[in-house]
Amino acid sequence: MARERREKPVRQPLFDRLFPPKTMYVGEHTVQKPRTRAYLIALVLVAVVWGSVVMVRFDFKVFFRNLHQLGVILSQVFNPKWSYFQKVIPPLLDTIKMSVIGSALGSLMALPFAVASSTNIMHNGVVVAFFRIVLNIVRTLPTLVIASICALIFGLGTFAGTVAITIFTFGIVTKMLYESIETIDMGAFEAMEAMGASRFQAFWSAVLPQVLPTYLSHCLFSFEINIRAATILGYVGAGGLGILIDERIGWRDYEGLGTVLLSLFAVVLIIENTSQYLRRKLS
């Protein structure tokens, strides 16, 4: 005789046991309305924020006492010294060149690695796992850490900054691209392989046309990020505007700093608008 299956009672969450649902009557029926968790979430959030403030020894008195200094500095930053602009042009061009070359090289390197990291193209799990571990290591390192290592290896200057941006771009574009490849329709790819085409031929004819607009969009997006990233690489000796910004802050020359920042803002604004226009066309 078959034993009857006993259904295990559903265990209620601890919150519902501490604060039982409210019983509401709708005609002849009763409805259990759970208690809101908003107050509990707010309490936990306040406790976490307060604990963080205590642990980092954040002093609100010092913060509000020196807050007026922000207005003093901003008043000088927004009164730029335009005579300093001639000294801004060379490092600004270096920043743009590092971003362009690093973005291009990193994006080109990302394409074969993205293919090797895609489970629907590469069916060897060991190979996919190896490439994904390499990508995770690359993406874990911040840009400044990569630039510091490159500066130690290749010496100070824009070459180290270009290598750092290349590695950074490689990690970002590869990650986004292999995720895009794994979402495409593989019907055409499998049909070409069934007709005798090699995996490379099938990828080139059936997969690449589907992911090419997305790939170019990822490249342009990375270029936007790299313009900002290249600016701060000078703090670790990798060239660009970072050296100039660090120098102006050290000398308390906020008017000269304003010239640097406004020049950078104009360049970033032009590049972002151009990139967004191109990405809209690609989509």
Side-chain angles (χ1 to χ4, degrees), residues 107-169:
S107 299
L108 289 174
M109 291 169 53
L111 186 57
F113 274 81
V115 174
S117 303
S118 304
T119 54
N120 54 347
I121 301 292
M122 184 64 63
H123 301 298
N124 190 326
V126 176
V127 174
V128 172
F130 171 77
F131 280 106
R132 291 198 178 185
I133 290 173
V134 172
L135 288 175
N136 289 333
I137 295 173
V138 171
R139 292 193 304 108
T140 299
L141 297 174
T143 314
L144 282 177
V145 174
I146 298 174
S148 301
I149 297 173
C150 292
L152 292 174
I153 297 174
F154 303 108
L156 303 179
T158 55
F159 182 76
T162 304
V163 175
I165 292 175
T166 300
I167 297 173
F168 177 72
T169 305

Side-chain angles (χ1 to χ4, degrees), residues 8 12 21 29 46 74 80 106 111 132 149 178 182 190 207-208 220 226 228 237 258 265 270:
K8 294 182 179 180
Q12 290 184 333
H29 302 280
V46 170
L74 289 179
L111 186 57
R132 291 198 178 185
I149 297 173
Y178 84 67
E182 290 182 340
E190 294 170 354
V207 176
L208 188 60
L220 290 171
N226 289 336
R228 300 184 186 90
F265 173 75
I270 293 171

